[in-house]
Amino acid sequence: GAVVSQHPSRVICKSGTSVKIECRSLDFQATTMFWYRQFPKKSLMLMATSNEGSKATYEQGVEKDKFLINHASLTLSTLTVTSAHPEDSSFYICSARDWQGNSYEQYFGPGTRLTVT
Amino acid sequence: SQQGEEDPQALSIQEGENATMNCSYKTSINNLQWYRQNSGRGLVHLILIRSNEREKHSGRLRVTLDTSKKSSSLLITASRAADTASYFCATASGTALIFGKGTTLSVSS
């Protein structure tokens, strides 16, 4: 099946700094990618839908100026957590859609564990 | 936003027993999917059931869908310690997937 990678897999940063997380589709082109956030022992919450070449669509309650999303190519979307605070510590997961001939399939990255100290 | 609600939230069983998890959703769907997540890891797609299907099997997994009740169940038969994980149902909202709260399954040997 299609592969989606994320980098880094885990990152620790200090409060006030910015962190960039990359999501790549390795063997297919994805016009649409998604970013999710997951708190410990909780479900995945959709943060935003990232469309190649256009602005991301953010879910209600997600600050677009804090979570900057750039989908500059068909294989790469980035999520930048700006001026990170400890409450931004979380598990961030991306996914990408791939056309499978008669339907779209969605493939998930392995996640990025962000810890803000 | 969350579409699905799973129950139970947590389930502990012995190896060899069957595990049943339920999911309810709110809006009409084209399909419903089940995913598995090992602790601190990404998601693994288990099975997709379309709205015109009532039951689907894949190995030790059996999924049912009742669109009149807006509910689905995932049955894992003859469970193994390696089945210990969180299980989520997911439905589509536009192009994105919306996940339920999940069931944490613990299988002890």
Side-chain angles (χ1 to χ4, degrees):
Chain A
V3 177
V4 174
S5 71
Q6 279 184 243
H7 177 80
S9 58
R10 57 178 64 231
V11 57
I12 301 172
C13 70
K14 293 185 177 180
S15 284
T17 61
S18 294
V19 175
K20 180 185 285 188
I21 302 170
E22 293 184 347
C23 176
R24 293 182 186 273
S25 56
L26 297 186
D27 48 4
F28 65 99
Q29 294 182 327
T31 55
T32 306
M33 291 184 174
F34 307 91
W35 287 96
Y36 293 84
R37 179 176 184 176
Q38 186 179 31
F39 290 104
K41 300 187 187 302
K42 297 292 185 183
S43 185
L44 283 76
M45 300 295 293
L46 178 66
M47 298 175 66
T49 300
S50 168
N51 296 298
E52 188 267 338
S54 65
K55 291 183 179 180
T57 303
Y58 290 81
E59 294 298 301
Q60 192 173 9
V62 178
E63 298 177 60
K64 62 181 181 180
D65 294 329
K66 180 164 187 63
F67 298 100
L68 299 179
I69 291 172
N70 187 329
H71 194 155
S73 79
L74 288 171
T75 59
L76 173 65
S77 175
T78 60
L79 168 68
T80 301
V81 183
T82 62
S83 187
H85 290 281
E87 56 265 32
D88 298 325
S89 298
S90 194
F91 194 54
Y92 292 88
I93 301 176
C94 73
S95 69
R97 289 211 312 170
D98 185 29
W99 181 248
Q100 288 294 306
N102 59 0
S103 65
Y104 280 102
E105 295 290 336
Q106 198 163 136
Y107 300 95
F108 286 83
T112 296
R113 172 80 56 197
L114 170 63
T115 303
V116 185
T117 61
Chain B
S1 62
Q2 286 185 296
Q3 166 79 305
E5 299 271 339
E6 282 97 331
D7 79 272
Q9 290 189 11
L11 181 61
S12 294
I13 58 174
Q14 298 285 320
E15 258 190 333
E17 294 180 337
N18 296 342
T20 300
M21 291 160 262
N22 303 296
C23 165
S24 60
Y25 57 92
K26 298 174 182 174
T27 62
S28 60
I29 60 171
N30 291 322
N31 60 65
L32 183 143
Q33 303 183 55
W34 284 90
Y35 287 83
R36 166 199 167 120
Q37 183 182 36
N38 284 51
S39 181
R41 301 297 185 101
L43 294 173
V44 175
H45 182 261
L46 294 177
I47 196 166
L48 179 151
I49 185 166
R50 301 190 189 284
S51 60
N52 60 353
E53 298 176 308
R54 291 296 168 258
E55 188 171 310
K56 198 164 182 179
H57 297 252
S58 176
R60 292 184 296 113
L61 304 180
R62 174 179 162 240
V63 169
T64 63
L65 179 65
D66 186 336
T67 52
S68 66
K69 295 181 180 179
K70 290 187 167 59
S71 68
S72 173
S73 68
L74 170 67
L75 168 68
I76 303 175
T77 60
S79 63
R80 305 166 182 168
D83 295 329
T84 295
S86 292
Y87 293 83
F88 298 94
C89 68
T91 57
S93 175
T95 57
L97 286 177
I98 304 299
F99 288 84
K101 293 182 178 179
T103 294
T104 299
L105 174 65
S106 177
V107 182
S108 53
S109 54

PDB file of all heavy atoms in Angstrom, chain B residues 46-79:
ATOM      1  N   LEU B  46      -7.913  -1.315   9.180  1.00  0.00           N
ATOM      2  CA  LEU B  46      -8.315  -2.711   9.335  1.00  0.00           C
ATOM      3  C   LEU B  46      -9.313  -3.146   8.276  1.00  0.00           C
ATOM      4  O   LEU B  46      -9.126  -4.165   7.612  1.00  0.00           O
ATOM      5  CB  LEU B  46      -8.937  -2.911  10.726  1.00  0.00           C
ATOM      6  CG  LEU B  46      -8.004  -2.729  11.932  1.00  0.00           C
ATOM      7  CD1 LEU B  46      -8.787  -2.889  13.213  1.00  0.00           C
ATOM      8  CD2 LEU B  46      -6.853  -3.711  11.872  1.00  0.00           C
ATOM      9  N   ILE B  47     -10.378  -2.388   8.148  1.00  0.00           N
ATOM     10  CA  ILE B  47     -11.453  -2.849   7.286  1.00  0.00           C
ATOM     11  C   ILE B  47     -12.390  -1.688   6.966  1.00  0.00           C
ATOM     12  O   ILE B  47     -12.556  -0.767   7.774  1.00  0.00           O
ATOM     13  CB  ILE B  47     -12.208  -4.013   7.966  1.00  0.00           C
ATOM     14  CG1 ILE B  47     -13.067  -4.786   6.982  1.00  0.00           C
ATOM     15  CG2 ILE B  47     -13.004  -3.524   9.150  1.00  0.00           C
ATOM     16  CD1 ILE B  47     -13.545  -6.128   7.523  1.00  0.00           C
ATOM     17  N   LEU B  48     -12.967  -1.723   5.786  1.00  0.00           N
ATOM     18  CA  LEU B  48     -13.958  -0.735   5.359  1.00  0.00           C
ATOM     19  C   LEU B  48     -15.231  -1.472   5.008  1.00  0.00           C
ATOM     20  O   LEU B  48     -15.198  -2.492   4.314  1.00  0.00           O
ATOM     21  CB  LEU B  48     -13.443   0.046   4.149  1.00  0.00           C
ATOM     22  CG  LEU B  48     -14.345   1.123   3.516  1.00  0.00           C
ATOM     23  CD1 LEU B  48     -13.493   2.213   2.867  1.00  0.00           C
ATOM     24  CD2 LEU B  48     -15.289   0.526   2.483  1.00  0.00           C
ATOM     25  N   ILE B  49     -16.340  -0.966   5.491  1.00  0.00           N
ATOM     26  CA  ILE B  49     -17.634  -1.545   5.138  1.00  0.00           C
ATOM     27  C   ILE B  49     -18.485  -0.457   4.506  1.00  0.00           C
ATOM     28  O   ILE B  49     -18.566   0.666   5.021  1.00  0.00           O
ATOM     29  CB  ILE B  49     -18.322  -2.194   6.371  1.00  0.00           C
ATOM     30  CG1 ILE B  49     -19.609  -2.909   5.948  1.00  0.00           C
ATOM     31  CG2 ILE B  49     -18.579  -1.181   7.478  1.00  0.00           C
ATOM     32  CD1 ILE B  49     -20.155  -3.850   7.019  1.00  0.00           C
ATOM     33  N   ARG B  50     -19.068  -0.760   3.368  1.00  0.00           N
ATOM     34  CA  ARG B  50     -19.855   0.226   2.642  1.00  0.00           C
ATOM     35  C   ARG B  50     -21.280   0.261   3.195  1.00  0.00           C
ATOM     36  O   ARG B  50     -21.756  -0.689   3.805  1.00  0.00           O
ATOM     37  CB  ARG B  50     -19.849  -0.093   1.147  1.00  0.00           C
ATOM     38  CG  ARG B  50     -18.455  -0.119   0.576  1.00  0.00           C
ATOM     39  CD  ARG B  50     -18.428  -0.189  -0.937  1.00  0.00           C
ATOM     40  NE  ARG B  50     -17.073  -0.425  -1.418  1.00  0.00           N
ATOM     41  CZ  ARG B  50     -16.120   0.504  -1.459  1.00  0.00           C
ATOM     42  NH1 ARG B  50     -16.366   1.726  -1.071  1.00  0.00           N
ATOM     43  NH2 ARG B  50     -14.922   0.208  -1.904  1.00  0.00           N
ATOM     44  N   SER B  51     -21.956   1.337   2.892  1.00  0.00           N
ATOM     45  CA  SER B  51     -23.288   1.543   3.473  1.00  0.00           C
ATOM     46  C   SER B  51     -24.300   0.512   2.987  1.00  0.00           C
ATOM     47  O   SER B  51     -25.309   0.267   3.653  1.00  0.00           O
ATOM     48  CB  SER B  51     -23.796   2.953   3.164  1.00  0.00           C
ATOM     49  OG  SER B  51     -23.873   3.156   1.768  1.00  0.00           O
ATOM     50  N   ASN B  52     -24.016  -0.122   1.836  1.00  0.00           N
ATOM     51  CA  ASN B  52     -24.956  -1.127   1.340  1.00  0.00           C
ATOM     52  C   ASN B  52     -24.571  -2.548   1.784  1.00  0.00           C
ATOM     53  O   ASN B  52     -25.169  -3.529   1.339  1.00  0.00           O
ATOM     54  CB  ASN B  52     -25.063  -1.071  -0.183  1.00  0.00           C
ATOM     55  CG  ASN B  52     -23.747  -1.333  -0.869  1.00  0.00           C
ATOM     56  OD1 ASN B  52     -22.706  -1.434  -0.222  1.00  0.00           O
ATOM     57  ND2 ASN B  52     -23.771  -1.445  -2.187  1.00  0.00           N
ATOM     58  N   GLU B  53     -23.569  -2.638   2.622  1.00  0.00           N
ATOM     59  CA  GLU B  53     -23.152  -3.925   3.164  1.00  0.00           C
ATOM     60  C   GLU B  53     -23.609  -4.044   4.614  1.00  0.00           C
ATOM     61  O   GLU B  53     -23.660  -3.056   5.335  1.00  0.00           O
ATOM     62  CB  GLU B  53     -21.628  -4.081   3.086  1.00  0.00           C
ATOM     63  CG  GLU B  53     -21.092  -4.054   1.656  1.00  0.00           C
ATOM     64  CD  GLU B  53     -19.575  -4.101   1.604  1.00  0.00           C
ATOM     65  OE1 GLU B  53     -18.939  -3.272   2.283  1.00  0.00           O
ATOM     66  OE2 GLU B  53     -19.047  -4.964   0.888  1.00  0.00           O
ATOM     67  N   ARG B  54     -23.910  -5.256   5.021  1.00  0.00           N
ATOM     68  CA  ARG B  54     -24.358  -5.473   6.402  1.00  0.00           C
ATOM     69  C   ARG B  54     -23.288  -6.159   7.241  1.00  0.00           C
ATOM     70  O   ARG B  54     -23.252  -6.004   8.464  1.00  0.00           O
ATOM     71  CB  ARG B  54     -25.636  -6.301   6.415  1.00  0.00           C
ATOM     72  CG  ARG B  54     -26.823  -5.567   5.856  1.00  0.00           C
ATOM     73  CD  ARG B  54     -27.177  -4.359   6.707  1.00  0.00           C
ATOM     74  NE  ARG B  54     -28.119  -3.477   6.045  1.00  0.00           N
ATOM     75  CZ  ARG B  54     -27.760  -2.353   5.456  1.00  0.00           C
ATOM     76  NH1 ARG B  54     -26.480  -1.988   5.432  1.00  0.00           N
ATOM     77  NH2 ARG B  54     -28.658  -1.584   4.885  1.00  0.00           N
ATOM     78  N   GLU B  55     -22.426  -6.897   6.569  1.00  0.00           N
ATOM     79  CA  GLU B  55     -21.404  -7.630   7.303  1.00  0.00           C
ATOM     80  C   GLU B  55     -20.197  -7.836   6.387  1.00  0.00           C
ATOM     81  O   GLU B  55     -20.336  -8.003   5.186  1.00  0.00           O
ATOM     82  CB  GLU B  55     -21.963  -8.984   7.751  1.00  0.00           C
ATOM     83  CG  GLU B  55     -21.083  -9.772   8.686  1.00  0.00           C
ATOM     84  CD  GLU B  55     -21.792 -10.981   9.251  1.00  0.00           C
ATOM     85  OE1 GLU B  55     -22.933 -10.824   9.755  1.00  0.00           O
ATOM     86  OE2 GLU B  55     -21.220 -12.075   9.192  1.00  0.00           O
ATOM     87  N   LYS B  56     -19.023  -7.826   7.014  1.00  0.00           N
ATOM     88  CA  LYS B  56     -17.813  -8.050   6.247  1.00  0.00           C
ATOM     89  C   LYS B  56     -16.800  -8.753   7.136  1.00  0.00           C
ATOM     90  O   LYS B  56     -16.720  -8.496   8.335  1.00  0.00           O
ATOM     91  CB  LYS B  56     -17.252  -6.715   5.751  1.00  0.00           C
ATOM     92  CG  LYS B  56     -16.259  -6.847   4.618  1.00  0.00           C
ATOM     93  CD  LYS B  56     -16.077  -5.504   3.939  1.00  0.00           C
ATOM     94  CE  LYS B  56     -15.134  -5.633   2.767  1.00  0.00           C
ATOM     95  NZ  LYS B  56     -14.951  -4.341   2.077  1.00  0.00           N
ATOM     96  N   HIS B  57     -16.027  -9.652   6.523  1.00  0.00           N
ATOM     97  CA  HIS B  57     -15.041 -10.419   7.272  1.00  0.00           C
ATOM     98  C   HIS B  57     -13.653 -10.165   6.699  1.00  0.00           C
ATOM     99  O   HIS B  57     -13.485  -9.965   5.500  1.00  0.00           O
ATOM    100  CB  HIS B  57     -15.346 -11.913   7.171  1.00  0.00           C
ATOM    101  CG  HIS B  57     -16.651 -12.305   7.775  1.00  0.00           C
ATOM    102  ND1 HIS B  57     -16.754 -13.003   8.952  1.00  0.00           N
ATOM    103  CD2 HIS B  57     -17.926 -12.081   7.357  1.00  0.00           C
ATOM    104  CE1 HIS B  57     -18.027 -13.214   9.229  1.00  0.00           C
ATOM    105  NE2 HIS B  57     -18.762 -12.664   8.288  1.00  0.00           N
ATOM    106  N   SER B  58     -12.681 -10.205   7.598  1.00  0.00           N
ATOM    107  CA  SER B  58     -11.294 -10.161   7.169  1.00  0.00           C
ATOM    108  C   SER B  58     -10.476 -10.883   8.218  1.00  0.00           C
ATOM    109  O   SER B  58     -10.224 -10.357   9.306  1.00  0.00           O
ATOM    110  CB  SER B  58     -10.817  -8.711   7.017  1.00  0.00           C
ATOM    111  OG  SER B  58      -9.444  -8.672   6.691  1.00  0.00           O
ATOM    112  N   GLY B  59     -10.091 -12.124   7.907  1.00  0.00           N
ATOM    113  CA  GLY B  59      -9.344 -12.912   8.879  1.00  0.00           C
ATOM    114  C   GLY B  59     -10.144 -13.122  10.149  1.00  0.00           C
ATOM    115  O   GLY B  59     -11.274 -13.609  10.112  1.00  0.00           O
ATOM    116  N   ARG B  60      -9.598 -12.691  11.274  1.00  0.00           N
ATOM    117  CA  ARG B  60     -10.306 -12.848  12.553  1.00  0.00           C
ATOM    118  C   ARG B  60     -11.236 -11.675  12.858  1.00  0.00           C
ATOM    119  O   ARG B  60     -11.818 -11.596  13.941  1.00  0.00           O
ATOM    120  CB  ARG B  60      -9.281 -13.004  13.692  1.00  0.00           C
ATOM    121  CG  ARG B  60      -8.486 -14.297  13.651  1.00  0.00           C
ATOM    122  CD  ARG B  60      -7.549 -14.446  14.854  1.00  0.00           C
ATOM    123  NE  ARG B  60      -6.520 -13.426  14.877  1.00  0.00           N
ATOM    124  CZ  ARG B  60      -6.436 -12.460  15.797  1.00  0.00           C
ATOM    125  NH1 ARG B  60      -7.347 -12.375  16.773  1.00  0.00           N
ATOM    126  NH2 ARG B  60      -5.454 -11.580  15.755  1.00  0.00           N
ATOM    127  N   LEU B  61     -11.355 -10.778  11.914  1.00  0.00           N
ATOM    128  CA  LEU B  61     -12.199  -9.598  12.119  1.00  0.00           C
ATOM    129  C   LEU B  61     -13.546  -9.785  11.437  1.00  0.00           C
ATOM    130  O   LEU B  61     -13.634 -10.299  10.319  1.00  0.00           O
ATOM    131  CB  LEU B  61     -11.535  -8.352  11.533  1.00  0.00           C
ATOM    132  CG  LEU B  61     -10.142  -8.001  12.015  1.00  0.00           C
ATOM    133  CD1 LEU B  61      -9.657  -6.739  11.310  1.00  0.00           C
ATOM    134  CD2 LEU B  61     -10.114  -7.825  13.513  1.00  0.00           C
ATOM    135  N   ARG B  62     -14.573  -9.346  12.144  1.00  0.00           N
ATOM    136  CA  ARG B  62     -15.913  -9.343  11.554  1.00  0.00           C
ATOM    137  C   ARG B  62     -16.543  -8.004  11.895  1.00  0.00           C
ATOM    138  O   ARG B  62     -16.624  -7.624  13.065  1.00  0.00           O
ATOM    139  CB  ARG B  62     -16.758 -10.474  12.113  1.00  0.00           C
ATOM    140  CG  ARG B  62     -18.211 -10.448  11.646  1.00  0.00           C
ATOM    141  CD  ARG B  62     -19.008 -11.611  12.221  1.00  0.00           C
ATOM    142  NE  ARG B  62     -20.444 -11.331  12.128  1.00  0.00           N
ATOM    143  CZ  ARG B  62     -21.270 -11.266  13.171  1.00  0.00           C
ATOM    144  NH1 ARG B  62     -20.827 -11.458  14.393  1.00  0.00           N
ATOM    145  NH2 ARG B  62     -22.557 -11.014  12.997  1.00  0.00           N
ATOM    146  N   VAL B  63     -16.980  -7.294  10.865  1.00  0.00           N
ATOM    147  CA  VAL B  63     -17.601  -5.993  11.050  1.00  0.00           C
ATOM    148  C   VAL B  63     -19.037  -6.064  10.581  1.00  0.00           C
ATOM    149  O   VAL B  63     -19.335  -6.650   9.540  1.00  0.00           O
ATOM    150  CB  VAL B  63     -16.845  -4.917  10.252  1.00  0.00           C
ATOM    151  CG1 VAL B  63     -17.631  -3.610  10.223  1.00  0.00           C
ATOM    152  CG2 VAL B  63     -15.475  -4.681  10.860  1.00  0.00           C
ATOM    153  N   THR B  64     -19.921  -5.471  11.354  1.00  0.00           N
ATOM    154  CA  THR B  64     -21.311  -5.350  10.948  1.00  0.00           C
ATOM    155  C   THR B  64     -21.682  -3.878  10.875  1.00  0.00           C
ATOM    156  O   THR B  64     -21.060  -3.029  11.528  1.00  0.00           O
ATOM    157  CB  THR B  64     -22.262  -6.061  11.931  1.00  0.00           C
ATOM    158  OG1 THR B  64     -22.157  -5.422  13.205  1.00  0.00           O
ATOM    159  CG2 THR B  64     -21.911  -7.531  12.055  1.00  0.00           C
ATOM    160  N   LEU B  65     -22.666  -3.581  10.068  1.00  0.00           N
ATOM    161  CA  LEU B  65     -23.141  -2.213   9.921  1.00  0.00           C
ATOM    162  C   LEU B  65     -24.657  -2.218   9.889  1.00  0.00           C
ATOM    163  O   LEU B  65     -25.261  -2.959   9.108  1.00  0.00           O
ATOM    164  CB  LEU B  65     -22.586  -1.590   8.643  1.00  0.00           C
ATOM    165  CG  LEU B  65     -23.014  -0.160   8.338  1.00  0.00           C
ATOM    166  CD1 LEU B  65     -22.487   0.798   9.395  1.00  0.00           C
ATOM    167  CD2 LEU B  65     -22.534   0.258   6.944  1.00  0.00           C
ATOM    168  N   ASP B  66     -25.249  -1.399  10.723  1.00  0.00           N
ATOM    169  CA  ASP B  66     -26.700  -1.230  10.741  1.00  0.00           C
ATOM    170  C   ASP B  66     -26.983   0.252  10.510  1.00  0.00           C
ATOM    171  O   ASP B  66     -26.908   1.061  11.428  1.00  0.00           O
ATOM    172  CB  ASP B  66     -27.271  -1.692  12.092  1.00  0.00           C
ATOM    173  CG  ASP B  66     -28.782  -1.690  12.121  1.00  0.00           C
ATOM    174  OD1 ASP B  66     -29.403  -0.927  11.329  1.00  0.00           O
ATOM    175  OD2 ASP B  66     -29.366  -2.418  12.923  1.00  0.00           O
ATOM    176  N   THR B  67     -27.284   0.598   9.272  1.00  0.00           N
ATOM    177  CA  THR B  67     -27.474   2.007   8.941  1.00  0.00           C
ATOM    178  C   THR B  67     -28.765   2.556   9.538  1.00  0.00           C
ATOM    179  O   THR B  67     -28.870   3.755   9.763  1.00  0.00           O
ATOM    180  CB  THR B  67     -27.480   2.221   7.422  1.00  0.00           C
ATOM    181  OG1 THR B  67     -28.432   1.326   6.833  1.00  0.00           O
ATOM    182  CG2 THR B  67     -26.106   1.952   6.830  1.00  0.00           C
ATOM    183  N   SER B  68     -29.734   1.685   9.812  1.00  0.00           N
ATOM    184  CA  SER B  68     -30.978   2.177  10.416  1.00  0.00           C
ATOM    185  C   SER B  68     -30.736   2.631  11.850  1.00  0.00           C
ATOM    186  O   SER B  68     -31.378   3.565  12.331  1.00  0.00           O
ATOM    187  CB  SER B  68     -32.042   1.090  10.389  1.00  0.00           C
ATOM    188  OG  SER B  68     -31.686   0.004  11.220  1.00  0.00           O
ATOM    189  N   LYS B  69     -29.792   1.984  12.516  1.00  0.00           N
ATOM    190  CA  LYS B  69     -29.447   2.351  13.889  1.00  0.00           C
ATOM    191  C   LYS B  69     -28.196   3.224  13.940  1.00  0.00           C
ATOM    192  O   LYS B  69     -27.780   3.640  15.021  1.00  0.00           O
ATOM    193  CB  LYS B  69     -29.226   1.102  14.734  1.00  0.00           C
ATOM    194  CG  LYS B  69     -30.466   0.247  14.924  1.00  0.00           C
ATOM    195  CD  LYS B  69     -30.168  -0.963  15.792  1.00  0.00           C
ATOM    196  CE  LYS B  69     -31.411  -1.813  15.975  1.00  0.00           C
ATOM    197  NZ  LYS B  69     -31.145  -3.024  16.794  1.00  0.00           N
ATOM    198  N   LYS B  70     -27.615   3.466  12.776  1.00  0.00           N
ATOM    199  CA  LYS B  70     -26.371   4.239  12.704  1.00  0.00           C
ATOM    200  C   LYS B  70     -25.334   3.645  13.672  1.00  0.00           C
ATOM    201  O   LYS B  70     -24.782   4.359  14.539  1.00  0.00           O
ATOM    202  CB  LYS B  70     -26.623   5.717  13.013  1.00  0.00           C
ATOM    203  CG  LYS B  70     -27.403   6.448  11.923  1.00  0.00           C
ATOM    204  CD  LYS B  70     -27.465   7.940  12.206  1.00  0.00           C
ATOM    205  CE  LYS B  70     -27.942   8.732  11.009  1.00  0.00           C
ATOM    206  NZ  LYS B  70     -29.260   8.350  10.528  1.00  0.00           N
ATOM    207  N   SER B  71     -25.096   2.376  13.506  1.00  0.00           N
ATOM    208  CA  SER B  71     -24.133   1.729  14.394  1.00  0.00           C
ATOM    209  C   SER B  71     -23.363   0.647  13.650  1.00  0.00           C
ATOM    210  O   SER B  71     -23.834   0.101  12.641  1.00  0.00           O
ATOM    211  CB  SER B  71     -24.836   1.132  15.607  1.00  0.00           C
ATOM    212  OG  SER B  71     -25.652   0.055  15.210  1.00  0.00           O
ATOM    213  N   SER B  72     -22.183   0.350  14.174  1.00  0.00           N
ATOM    214  CA  SER B  72     -21.329  -0.686  13.607  1.00  0.00           C
ATOM    215  C   SER B  72     -20.671  -1.418  14.770  1.00  0.00           C
ATOM    216  O   SER B  72     -20.499  -0.857  15.858  1.00  0.00           O
ATOM    217  CB  SER B  72     -20.265  -0.060  12.708  1.00  0.00           C
ATOM    218  OG  SER B  72     -19.321  -1.032  12.271  1.00  0.00           O
ATOM    219  N   SER B  73     -20.306  -2.657  14.524  1.00  0.00           N
ATOM    220  CA  SER B  73     -19.570  -3.392  15.538  1.00  0.00           C
ATOM    221  C   SER B  73     -18.366  -4.064  14.905  1.00  0.00           C
ATOM    222  O   SER B  73     -18.392  -4.435  13.728  1.00  0.00           O
ATOM    223  CB  SER B  73     -20.457  -4.442  16.210  1.00  0.00           C
ATOM    224  OG  SER B  73     -20.777  -5.468  15.296  1.00  0.00           O
ATOM    225  N   LEU B  74     -17.324  -4.178  15.699  1.00  0.00           N
ATOM    226  CA  LEU B  74     -16.109  -4.882  15.290  1.00  0.00           C
ATOM    227  C   LEU B  74     -15.914  -6.039  16.252  1.00  0.00           C
ATOM    228  O   LEU B  74     -15.837  -5.838  17.459  1.00  0.00           O
ATOM    229  CB  LEU B  74     -14.896  -3.950  15.339  1.00  0.00           C
ATOM    230  CG  LEU B  74     -13.528  -4.616  15.160  1.00  0.00           C
ATOM    231  CD1 LEU B  74     -13.374  -5.175  13.752  1.00  0.00           C
ATOM    232  CD2 LEU B  74     -12.393  -3.621  15.458  1.00  0.00           C
ATOM    233  N   LEU B  75     -15.848  -7.230  15.689  1.00  0.00           N
ATOM    234  CA  LEU B  75     -15.611  -8.426  16.485  1.00  0.00           C
ATOM    235  C   LEU B  75     -14.246  -8.988  16.131  1.00  0.00           C
ATOM    236  O   LEU B  75     -13.948  -9.198  14.956  1.00  0.00           O
ATOM    237  CB  LEU B  75     -16.700  -9.475  16.211  1.00  0.00           C
ATOM    238  CG  LEU B  75     -16.442 -10.887  16.740  1.00  0.00           C
ATOM    239  CD1 LEU B  75     -16.467 -10.902  18.264  1.00  0.00           C
ATOM    240  CD2 LEU B  75     -17.470 -11.872  16.181  1.00  0.00           C
ATOM    241  N   ILE B  76     -13.434  -9.191  17.146  1.00  0.00           N
ATOM    242  CA  ILE B  76     -12.150  -9.858  16.970  1.00  0.00           C
ATOM    243  C   ILE B  76     -12.278 -11.225  17.634  1.00  0.00           C
ATOM    244  O   ILE B  76     -12.521 -11.322  18.841  1.00  0.00           O
ATOM    245  CB  ILE B  76     -10.992  -9.074  17.617  1.00  0.00           C
ATOM    246  CG1 ILE B  76     -10.933  -7.658  17.054  1.00  0.00           C
ATOM    247  CG2 ILE B  76      -9.662  -9.796  17.386  1.00  0.00           C
ATOM    248  CD1 ILE B  76      -9.897  -6.778  17.739  1.00  0.00           C
ATOM    249  N   THR B  77     -12.156 -12.266  16.844  1.00  0.00           N
ATOM    250  CA  THR B  77     -12.300 -13.608  17.401  1.00  0.00           C
ATOM    251  C   THR B  77     -10.948 -14.171  17.823  1.00  0.00           C
ATOM    252  O   THR B  77      -9.896 -13.772  17.298  1.00  0.00           O
ATOM    253  CB  THR B  77     -12.936 -14.554  16.383  1.00  0.00           C
ATOM    254  OG1 THR B  77     -12.093 -14.612  15.218  1.00  0.00           O
ATOM    255  CG2 THR B  77     -14.321 -14.072  15.973  1.00  0.00           C
ATOM    256  N   ALA B  78     -10.994 -15.086  18.794  1.00  0.00           N
ATOM    257  CA  ALA B  78      -9.786 -15.775  19.256  1.00  0.00           C
ATOM    258  C   ALA B  78      -8.653 -14.781  19.477  1.00  0.00           C
ATOM    259  O   ALA B  78      -7.584 -14.876  18.857  1.00  0.00           O
ATOM    260  CB  ALA B  78      -9.371 -16.842  18.252  1.00  0.00           C
ATOM    261  N   SER B  79      -8.887 -13.831  20.353  1.00  0.00           N
ATOM    262  CA  SER B  79      -7.945 -12.722  20.519  1.00  0.00           C
ATOM    263  C   SER B  79      -6.576 -13.205  20.998  1.00  0.00           C
ATOM    264  O   SER B  79      -6.431 -14.263  21.621  1.00  0.00           O
ATOM    265  CB  SER B  79      -8.504 -11.705  21.513  1.00  0.00           C
ATOM    266  OG  SER B  79      -8.652 -12.298  22.784  1.00  0.00           O
TER     267      SER B  79
END
